[in-house]
């Protein structure tokens, strides 16, 4: 069975501050892990994905995530938040790229 | 290139009615998946189709059905609508269906269904 837990339904940071969005997963097999972003009234856009290659994954818009097997975590970070980063972020796990299990999402608010 | 297109974008239906949602995948993509996203929650897997065959089904009642056409477009049908079916329905397409594939899924912008 697979599942994802996102800690913190709302995160607020100041513009220019570090962004850290937390994701812990549960998977009975080596997982594939993803971060998606959703802007209001839009679909999901892939930020980055982990597919068992490098444990530090770089994505679009300056985001990156590190796969830590010992901690079953895949936290999303960005060194410096921008106003345009305000959105909802979803972590997802899959064992075969065919069926995704999404977390409940974290809404990121960026204060000027 | 056009992305994944879904129609309609918004829909209001009455309890007990039937609804059909449509999805056109990216050209060349043969796999289509459907997800339901209830307000305040993450998307939940409903169906996956590949080469016109159902390849996966989530934990949804039989009121939900889908099909994929020879051109790889897809329809999601929901019968006997309930208030709880109100959600954003997302379609995603992918080039292939294979374990360990490096290809990802591209999501459409969704259909917002409101049941009153």
């Amino acid at each position: 069975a697979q599942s994802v837990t996102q800690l913190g339904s709302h995160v607020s940071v100041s513009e220019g501050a570090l962004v850290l969005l937390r994701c812990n997963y549960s998977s009975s097999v080596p997982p594939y892990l993803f971060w998606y972003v959703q802007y209001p009234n839009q679909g999901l856009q892939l930020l980055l994905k982990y597919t068992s290659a490098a444990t530090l994954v770089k994505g679009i818009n300056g985001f990156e995530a590190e796969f830590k097997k010992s901690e079953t975590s895949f936290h999303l970070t960005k060194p410096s938040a921008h106003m345009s980063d305000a959105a909802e972020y979803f972590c997802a796990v899959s064992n075969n790229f065919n069926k995704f299990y999404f977390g409940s999402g974290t809404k990121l608010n960026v204060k000027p | 290139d056009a992305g994944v297109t879904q129609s309609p974008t918004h829909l209001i239906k009455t309890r007990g009615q039937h609804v059909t949602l449509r999805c056109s995948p990216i050209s060349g993509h043969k796999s289509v998946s459907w997800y339901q996203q209830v307000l305040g929650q993450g998307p939940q897997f409903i169906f996956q189709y590949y080469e016109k065959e159902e390849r996966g089904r989530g934990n949804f009642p039989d009121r939900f059905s889908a099909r994929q056409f020879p051109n790889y477009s897809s329809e999601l049908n929901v019968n006997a609508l309930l208030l709880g079916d109100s959600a954003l329905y997302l379609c995603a397409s992918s080039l292939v269906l294979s374990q360990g594939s490096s290809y990802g899924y591209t999501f459409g912008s969704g259909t917002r269904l409101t049941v009153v």
Side-chain angles (χ1 to χ4, degrees):
Chain A
Q2 297 163 75
S3 66
V4 166
T5 301
Q6 292 185 240
L7 297 176
S9 59
H10 290 81
V11 169
S12 186
V13 300
S14 297
E15 192 173 20
L18 171 72
V19 175
L20 171 61
L21 304 182
R22 300 179 186 274
C23 172
N24 288 88
Y25 70 90
S26 171
S27 177
S28 57
V29 297
Y32 299 107
L33 294 158
F34 307 80
W35 276 99
Y36 283 87
V37 62
Q38 187 175 38
Y39 296 97
N41 300 314
Q42 294 189 26
L44 301 172
Q45 179 183 8
L46 180 66
L47 279 178
L48 49 81
K49 59 186 176 185
Y50 167 74
T51 58
S52 75
T55 57
L56 182 61
V57 181
K58 294 187 183 298
I60 63 172
N61 301 337
F63 284 95
E64 62 182 37
E66 186 173 8
F67 172 69
K68 292 187 176 180
K69 185 177 180 180
S70 61
E71 299 176 8
T72 61
S73 69
F74 191 57
H75 301 331
L76 181 71
T77 60
K78 182 174 180 178
S80 176
H82 191 272
M83 295 298 292
S84 62
D85 295 326
E88 189 160 18
Y89 293 79
F90 291 93
C91 182
V93 63
S94 175
N95 69 343
N96 59 12
F97 270 83
N98 298 327
K99 180 178 179 180
F100 292 83
Y101 296 87
F102 286 88
S104 55
T106 297
K107 288 186 178 177
L108 176 65
N109 177 47
V110 182
K111 300 174 291 186
Chain B
D1 284 341
V4 178
T5 57
Q6 293 187 243
S7 62
T9 55
H10 294 82
L11 199 55
I12 299 176
K13 288 287 190 178
T14 303
R15 279 177 296 175
Q17 285 188 316
H18 162 271
V19 69
T20 298
L21 310 181
R22 295 178 174 83
C23 172
S24 293
I26 290 174
S27 178
H29 282 198
K30 298 182 178 180
S31 177
V32 170
S33 294
W34 288 94
Y35 286 79
Q36 180 196 63
Q37 186 178 14
V38 173
L39 194 62
Q41 297 181 20
Q44 301 264 333
F45 173 77
I46 310 175
F47 285 110
Q48 182 184 46
Y49 277 77
Y50 179 71
E51 290 282 14
K52 302 177 288 289
E53 291 187 5
E54 181 182 306
R55 297 300 187 101
R57 184 185 185 110
N59 188 24
F60 280 81
D62 291 343
R63 299 185 295 108
F64 289 76
S65 64
R67 55 180 176 169
Q68 187 176 32
F69 298 99
N71 66 353
Y72 303 110
S73 67
S74 178
E75 283 183 354
L76 175 69
N77 295 283
V78 186
N79 292 323
L81 284 167
L82 304 174
L83 295 179
D85 296 330
S86 295
L88 179 68
Y89 289 84
L90 295 165
C91 173
S93 76
S94 177
L95 186 62
V96 296
L97 177 75
S98 62
Q99 190 164 350
S101 168
S102 62
Y103 296 107
Y105 273 90
T106 302
F107 282 82
S109 297
T111 293
R112 174 78 58 190
L113 173 65
T114 302
V115 182
V116 297

